[in-house]
Amino acid sequence: GVATFMLRCEGELDLDTFNQWVVGVLQGKGIDIFRFKGILAMRGYEEKFVVQGMHMLFDGRRGQLWPPGEERGCRLVFIGRNIKKEDFEEGFLACRA
């Protein structure tokens, strides 16, 4: 069936590690991922990173600056078929800076 889940972590991700992880996810499960999107904090950047994608395609770009005092963190939502949060969470958390 269709599933929706959110991956979260506090703090920042490493951009290169995240890019490698998401490419691997899409190569392995892209056919089953209808959509994903999120707001991510990347080490070394003052802006929020806005990511979105579907199936084998994804795009990420810098968004607005993180407001002073706002806790930096990452939220990434997936919608798809035959996907489970447990299959994604370890790799996502391994992207932490």
Side-chain angles (χ1 to χ4, degrees):
V2 175
T4 301
F5 59 84
M6 180 186 295
L7 301 174
R8 302 175 183 210
C9 74
E10 295 184 13
E12 300 174 324
L13 301 181
D14 178 81
L15 181 58
D16 291 336
T17 306
F18 174 78
N19 281 335
Q20 290 172 5
W21 173 75
V22 80
V23 166
V25 164
L26 295 179
Q27 287 175 344
K29 289 285 203 177
I31 193 94
D32 292 322
I33 297 172
F34 300 148
R35 183 130 170 84
F36 71 94
K37 60 183 177 176
I39 304 289
L40 309 173
M42 293 294 179
R43 180 180 56 196
Y45 294 91
E46 296 300 318
E47 302 91 353
K48 297 178 180 186
F49 264 72
V50 179
V51 296
Q52 60 181 337
M54 54 189 273
H55 300 297
M56 302 294 285
L57 305 172
F58 87 100
D59 180 53
R61 60 187 66 209
R62 294 181 199 185
Q64 297 178 350
L65 292 173
W66 286 93
E70 183 176 334
E71 188 173 325
R72 291 169 64 100
C74 303
R75 310 286 181 265
L76 188 59
V77 175
F78 283 87
I79 303 168
R81 160 184 69 227
N82 302 320
I83 58 173
K84 292 187 259 180
K85 182 177 183 176
E86 301 79 40
D87 296 339
F88 293 74
E89 196 161 36
E90 184 178 343
F92 177 71
L93 295 176
C95 297
R96 288 183 288 193

